[in-house]
């Protein structure tokens, strides 16, 4: 295992699973940089996520998301991509090459409770698709791409970070 392989940590999971909140605090704890890929996309595209989706549709947005994640060139960073990154094969292969992928797993009831403004969050739903449908579709992919799964049920942010740090230390032995 090369140093490059383990030099980043990518947090994947449903919107509202805590990727950004946990990511910032984890980066501080580890002395890493924090990269919110949604913000990188907005900066590179010069538009808000919801504008990209409105102008290019869901497929167009996911192409942009896949491309930008696949081109990400960072080291010693905690990376928080959007929840739909797992639909981008090139993006996920790249993120796995440059670091450890950690799935922040929350049960559906918690996601539903936390996600009050789904459209404002830039969450991409197909016509007629419910949040539960999206959850069921994505969980399989999150589990497929994850090097480590952290079950967050019943944990606060600090406990989740402790669990991540313990797993990372265990993995590097």
């Amino acid at each position: 295992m090369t140093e490059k392989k383990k030099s980043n940590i990518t947090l994947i999971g449903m919107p509202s699973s805590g990727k950004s909140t946990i990511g910032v605090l984890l980066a501080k704890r580890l002395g890493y940089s924090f990269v919110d890929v949604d913000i990188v996309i907005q900066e590179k595209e010069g538009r808000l996520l919801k504008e990209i989706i409105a102008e290019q549709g869901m497929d167009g947005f996911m192409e942009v998301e896949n491309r930008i994640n696949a081109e990400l060139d960072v080291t010693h960073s905690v990376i928080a991509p959007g929840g739909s990154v797992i639909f981008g094969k090139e993006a996920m292969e790249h993120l796995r090459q440059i670091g450890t992928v950690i799935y922040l797993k929350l049960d559906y009831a918690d996601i539903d409770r936390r996600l009050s403004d789904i459209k404002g969050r830039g969450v991409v739903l197909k016509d007629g698709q419910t949040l539960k449908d999206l959850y069921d579709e994505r969980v399989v992919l999150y589990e497929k791409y994850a090097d480590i799964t952290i079950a967050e049920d019943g944990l606060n942010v600090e406990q989740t970070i402790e669990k991540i740090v313990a797993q990372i230390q265990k993995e590097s032995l």
Side-chain angles (χ1 to χ4, degrees), residues 14-149:
M14 286 293 289
S16 83
S17 62
K19 295 180 300 289
S20 296
T21 303
I22 289 166
V24 167
L25 296 170
L26 181 62
K28 283 183 183 179
R29 167 100 178 252
L30 299 174
Y32 279 25
S33 297
F34 176 71
V35 179
D36 183 322
V37 183
D38 284 348
I39 293 172
V40 174
I41 291 170
Q42 289 182 163
E43 288 172 351
K44 287 185 182 272
E45 294 295 305
R47 301 175 281 171
L48 297 175
L49 299 184
K50 61 185 178 184
E51 293 170 342
I52 299 169
I53 294 166
E55 292 167 21
Q56 294 181 237
M58 188 177 79
D59 290 340
F61 169 74
M62 287 169 61
E63 284 173 25
V64 169
E65 181 180 47
N66 185 43
R67 174 176 42 82
I68 290 175
N69 276 283
E71 295 171 351
L72 213 52
D73 183 19
V74 296
T75 55
H76 293 93
S77 296
V78 174
I79 303 165
S84 56
V85 69
I86 40 95
F87 295 118
K89 189 173 182 284
E90 295 81 7
M92 288 310 304
E93 286 173 359
H94 177 67
L95 292 170
R96 287 184 86 182
Q97 281 176 353
I98 66 169
T100 301
V101 176
I102 298 176
Y103 168 34
L104 298 178
K105 183 177 184 163
L106 263 182
D107 66 28
Y108 175 74
D110 286 328
I111 296 291
D112 189 42
R113 185 175 42 75
R114 290 183 183 187
L115 257 186
S116 54
D117 179 20
I118 192 164
K119 291 278 190 263
R121 293 287 305 259
V123 177
V124 181
L125 288 175
K126 297 174 191 143
D127 286 340
Q129 186 179 39
T130 66
L131 181 60
K132 178 73 167 103
D133 295 335
L134 184 71
Y135 179 85
D136 291 342
E137 179 182 29
R138 287 184 179 185
V139 163
V140 176
L141 295 169
Y142 292 138
E143 290 172 350
K144 171 186 172 182
Y145 286 115
D147 295 310
I148 296 170
T149 297

